Amino acid sequence: MTLASNHPTRRDLLKWFSGIPFLPLGAMATAATLAGCNDSDNDSSTTPIKPANFKNATFTPMTAPTLADPAAMATTSVNSKLSVNWDDGSKTDYQLAYKPFFKTGDQVPSLKGGTVIAGGYVDAKGNPIMDKSVAGKERQFFSDCPDGSSLITVANASVSGVTHPVFHVVQFEYTTKDQAGSSMYGKLPSPIAVLTLDQDQKTGHLELKKYYNIDMSSAYGLWITCGASMSPWGTHLSSEEYEPDAFDQGVGTGLSTVTSYSQNYFGDATTANPYNYGHLPEITVNTDGTGSVKKHFCLGRISHELVQVMPDNRTLIMGDDYTNGGFFMFVADKEKDLSAGTLYVAKYTSVFSENSPGSIKWINLGHATSKEISDLVNVSKIKPTDIMESLTVQPADTTGYTKIILNTKTLWVKVKSGMEKAAAFLETHRYAALKGGSMAFTKLEGTTVNIKDKVAYSAVSYLQKSMVKNDKGWVESNNVSFSKAINAGAVVAHDMTGGQTDSTGMTINSDWVAYQSRVLITGEDLSTPDTLGNTANPDKIANPDNLKYSEALRTLFIGEDSGMHVNNFLWAYNVDSKVLSRILSTPAGAESTGLHAVDSVNGWTYIMSNFQHAGDWEGIHANVKGTLQNYINANYNNGYAAAVGYLTADPIAPSMIKKSS
């Protein structure tokens, strides 16, 4: 693509260096032509500089922080660099840094006037949900777990007091604990906010101006929203993971959590229906900085983590953050409309392992509209026992039953007559296993796509249990069979093409269908912890979670959710050079979340990044907790707060700009 007229010239770079401390990623120009300009900062100079085209960009990695610098271990630390190479042989270097918009729990300006608590929880009527766990310290619950985000532009946007509005949608997965220290996981409705940001057209800087909480009552509230992506048509595609197990048989979130959720959101412990959760919410941002939600019921009720829509605006692949989870695909009937379509699950027809790619055949699970599945739940009031039988003990007569394994547990299931569609879209895990899908993955998480190479990528947080031959939950017929566990996980690649047929013999109406999966990169378990406490090699990925790909930079960004690294990291992996570079470190005990790489927003490139639950200490933190606890407490409200923000870039030296001869 060609740079817009407001893109940086070489003289601009000199001005930025002398006058502006930080510069968003984007001044480095994600693509092609730079306009001619002078080679000095003196506007009267007439010496021309030849135009140059963007060639490539490389990252200089940062080292992992250590106890020699405890302050760096207890905050978001960025000491990496970025070099942009131009086709005339010149180079521009940048120092990367991190800029937060806010910390959760902060008072921020509300779109409606006044202020509002960032990450704050509200009930179905819009009232604050209060933490009353400690007498005399009552306060509104707010999240310490911001997660998926999307940076969105809306045509003709107009927000009072904002010159150049850009919108940032941020969802909050859960809150770790109340003030008394009791777990609140899954017990509160997940908020999603629209941030109105003002974009400086000269520098690309983003400044928070307004905050708006989206009303989720039409979607029955949202359940544990984790990763997210932006659709090609500019909406935010959310997630609801760890769907409630309607049978309460230990293969999903237990119904006791649903009861707590229901009490907190609806004010009644019995209102929430488990079948209303585990779906795909879509957020639309309006021109005035407000937003609305539509929950799609036809993409399967699974542990949605992070989905990716292909360039055809119809094909969508889904991670399934689950043990004995599947690789799922949805093909919509119409472009830019997820309200109706066909759901598929992958069946590996050859063995997928660390040494061999696995060929895929897609099993057609059925077609549905969102309305008909929602009506089954909310009009017909369907119950799990209306749909199928699911037994935890082998029946005396197994006729008609299929033995399956989910979450390493053995079940015997039988779909009731005429209930195939309900089973496919409301009991998707059970039905996909019954139909022969390869329900073999352990925490198949974030997904993204490399359009040029027609390759999708998925994070597999752990290579263990159901993926490892003869391990717990492993099923030979799934054809996913790794020789040993790699607890640090991997990123897998899915090669895509068109003209594929499904299990019924019908041609799948998409040119973006994965036909094989292969391992791209893996982490490395350590036989003994290192001196800091890491149980996985700190110079390799561990438990990848968020993934985003930049076409312009030819770079796959990888965020960690690891209990094996003392600090979790954000990585940049160049798919051409195969170089892996650490570019950010989160506070100790925190998870890297909210990853969103945007090649161009009004000509600027951004990498958005959040983190969750700083100071969530595990066994690996034994050597650092005593030193870091006070830092975490001071930085993040005694561990109750987390940051939402983005990476910035500062030109390092004008001398790096090559003059034309």
Side-chain angles (χ1 to χ4, degrees):
M1 66 184 175
T2 303
L3 296 178
S5 60
N6 66 332
H7 264 42
T9 63
R10 295 186 187 279
R11 183 174 53 186
D12 289 332
L13 294 174
L14 292 167
K15 290 182 177 179
W16 284 327
F17 178 76
S18 62
I20 296 174
F22 289 107
L23 180 68
L25 295 171
M28 50 78 172
T30 54
T33 306
L34 288 174
C37 64
N38 297 331
D39 65 351
S40 80
D41 198 34
N42 185 342
D43 287 351
S44 64
S45 172
T46 58
T47 304
I49 292 181
K50 296 178 181 179
N53 295 321
F54 173 85
K55 183 179 180 182
N56 58 42
T58 59
F59 290 91
T60 300
M62 61 180 282
T63 58
T66 69
L67 282 176
D69 187 359
M73 291 189 70
T75 191
T76 300
S77 176
V78 181
N79 291 312
S80 49
K81 297 178 178 64
L82 174 70
S83 295
V84 176
N85 301 300
W86 310 97
D87 67 356
D88 66 351
S90 62
K91 182 175 71 168
T92 309
D93 290 340
Y94 299 87
Q95 177 67 54
L96 303 185
Y98 184 71
K99 178 181 178 181
F101 297 123
F102 58 76
K103 296 174 186 175
T104 58
D106 288 352
Q107 292 282 347
V108 293
S110 171
L111 185 70
K112 297 179 178 180
T115 62
V116 65
I117 292 179
Y121 288 89
V122 297
D123 64 20
K125 296 180 180 179
N127 299 316
I129 301 175
M130 304 301 292
D131 180 355
K132 302 177 183 179
S133 62
V134 177
K137 294 186 177 181
E138 293 81 2
R139 70 183 186 193
Q140 184 180 2
F141 272 111
F142 57 86
S143 177
D144 63 329
C145 296
D147 207 299
S149 69
S150 297
L151 192 64
I152 294 173
T153 57
V154 178
N156 303 314
S158 178
V159 180
S160 177
V162 184
T163 306
H164 297 286
V166 174
F167 303 110
H168 190 42
V169 181
V170 181
Q171 60 194 43
F172 300 88
E173 184 178 0
Y174 62 97
T175 197
T176 303
K177 60 189 177 184
D178 62 18
Q179 293 183 86
S182 297
S183 173
M184 291 301 297
Y185 183 81
K187 297 178 180 180
L188 295 169
S190 296
I192 297 185
V194 179
L195 316 184
T196 299
L197 310 174
D198 207 344
Q199 184 187 48
D200 189 313
Q201 299 301 289
K202 293 182 179 179
T203 67
H205 277 274
L206 301 172
E207 181 182 356
L208 175 65
K209 291 292 187 179
K210 306 288 184 181
Y211 186 106
Y212 176 80
N213 270 317
I214 299 172
D215 178 7
M216 298 300 172
S217 58
S218 65
Y220 314 99
L222 299 189
W223 176 270
I224 312 178
T225 55
C226 193
S229 64
M230 188 174 73
S231 72
W233 53 92
T235 58
H236 174 85
L237 300 180
S238 182
S239 58
E240 291 186 310
E241 70 174 8
Y242 306 129
E243 83 285 1
D245 179 6
F247 286 92
D248 210 12
Q249 294 175 332
V251 297
T253 303
L255 295 186
S256 61
T257 302
V258 179
T259 300
S260 297
Y261 172 98
S262 186
Q263 183 66 54
N264 286 316
Y265 187 59
F266 295 108
D268 178 89
T270 63
T271 300
N273 184 332
Y275 281 145
N276 275 324
Y277 308 101
H279 302 289
L280 181 75
E282 181 175 16
I283 304 299
T284 299
V285 179
N286 303 318
T287 57
D288 61 356
T290 61
S292 61
V293 62
K294 179 185 294 183
K295 187 178 284 190
H296 298 293
F297 283 72
C298 55
L299 285 88
R301 203 174 71 91
I302 60 174
S303 189
H304 289 286
E305 165 74 19
L306 192 159
V307 305
Q308 177 66 51
V309 180
M310 297 300 141
D312 63 356
N313 292 315
R314 295 176 56 251
T315 307
L316 183 149
I317 60 173
M318 297 176 275
D320 185 18
D321 189 356
Y322 192 72
T323 299
N324 292 110
F327 180 29
F328 290 90
M329 176 176 67
F330 178 80
V331 179
D333 293 349
K334 299 178 182 178
E335 290 189 26
K336 305 180 182 180
D337 182 355
L338 301 179
S339 65
T342 304
L343 180 65
Y344 302 85
V345 65
K347 170 64 179 179
Y348 287 91
T349 58
S350 64
V351 174
F352 175 35
S353 72
E354 62 266 52
N355 299 315
S356 62
S359 300
I360 296 173
K361 188 74 171 182
W362 288 95
I363 295 175
N364 186 325
L365 297 179
H367 177 279
T369 68
S370 181
K371 183 179 185 305
E372 63 184 320
I373 303 304
S374 178
D375 283 351
L376 282 176
V377 179
N378 298 296
V379 178
S380 301
K381 307 293 184 183
I382 197 168
K383 300 291 190 293
T385 51
D386 297 333
I387 299 172
M388 61 168 48
E389 293 181 55
S390 181
L391 308 178
T392 57
V393 177
Q394 181 175 331
D397 181 0
T398 59
T399 304
Y401 288 90
T402 301
K403 179 182 175 182
I404 64 172
I405 296 179
L406 295 176
N407 199 24
T408 73
K409 294 179 171 63
T410 302
L411 303 173
W412 286 263
V413 296
K414 179 197 292 187
V415 178
K416 294 194 173 180
S417 178
M419 287 294 166
E420 289 77 12
K421 181 173 289 191
F425 293 92
L426 293 176
E427 289 293 342
T428 308
H429 278 136
R430 287 175 169 87
Y431 190 69
L434 180 153
K435 296 292 285 185
S438 292
M439 305 299 284
F441 288 98
T442 51
K443 295 179 71 65
L444 184 66
E445 307 217 29
T447 56
T448 191
V449 64
N450 170 347
I451 296 172
K452 180 181 178 181
D453 297 341
K454 219 163 186 178
V455 177
Y457 305 105
S458 293
V460 183
S461 195
Y462 299 88
L463 284 171
Q464 62 180 21
K465 295 181 180 177
S466 57
M467 298 187 71
V468 179
K469 186 175 182 179
N470 295 323
D471 205 339
K472 191 174 183 180
W474 179 76
V475 178
E476 185 174 12
S477 61
N478 282 333
N479 280 330
V480 176
S481 189
F482 286 73
S483 63
K484 66 177 182 178
I486 302 176
N487 294 318
V491 174
V492 301
H494 312 288
D495 300 307
M496 298 182 292
T497 190
Q500 300 296 293
T501 57
D502 67 20
S503 57
T504 70
M506 297 292 292
T507 299
I508 300 172
N509 187 18
S510 172
D511 290 327
W512 297 86
V513 178
Y515 65 88
Q516 69 173 13
S517 300
R518 52 188 167 84
V519 174
L520 184 71
I521 52 175
T522 66
E524 180 186 339
D525 300 349
L526 298 178
S527 57
T528 58
D530 66 14
T531 55
L532 201 62
N534 293 301
T535 56
N537 187 337
D539 293 323
K540 295 185 178 182
I541 62 169
N543 310 118
D545 188 349
N546 287 229
L547 295 182
K548 287 292 186 294
Y549 181 76
S550 168
E551 294 285 339
L553 301 180
R554 298 281 294 166
T555 296
L556 177 66
F557 295 98
I558 306 167
E560 295 182 342
D561 175 10
S562 179
M564 303 182 73
H565 281 167
V566 172
N567 288 86
N568 278 203
F569 307 122
L570 176 62
W571 302 88
Y573 177 77
N574 187 287
V575 298
D576 297 319
S577 68
K578 316 300 183 188
V579 172
L580 180 70
S581 304
R582 181 191 295 106
I583 62 173
L584 177 149
S585 173
T586 67
E591 166 189 347
S592 176
T593 64
L595 174 61
H596 184 48
V598 193
D599 281 341
S600 181
V601 175
N602 298 325
W604 302 91
T605 292
Y606 295 94
I607 300 173
M608 318 305 288
S609 182
N610 310 328
F611 69 80
Q612 301 185 346
H613 51 70
D616 186 10
W617 307 120
E618 299 185 42
I620 64 168
H621 298 105
N623 295 341
V624 303
K625 179 181 177 180
T627 302
L628 300 183
Q629 184 71 70
N630 288 338
Y631 287 93
I632 294 289
N633 289 346
N635 290 341
Y636 302 112
N637 192 5
N638 296 314
Y640 283 94
V644 171
Y646 70 109
L647 274 74
T648 61
D650 176 21
I652 292 174
S655 62
M656 299 304 294
I657 302 174
K658 176 185 174 183
K659 294 183 180 181
S660 299
S661 57

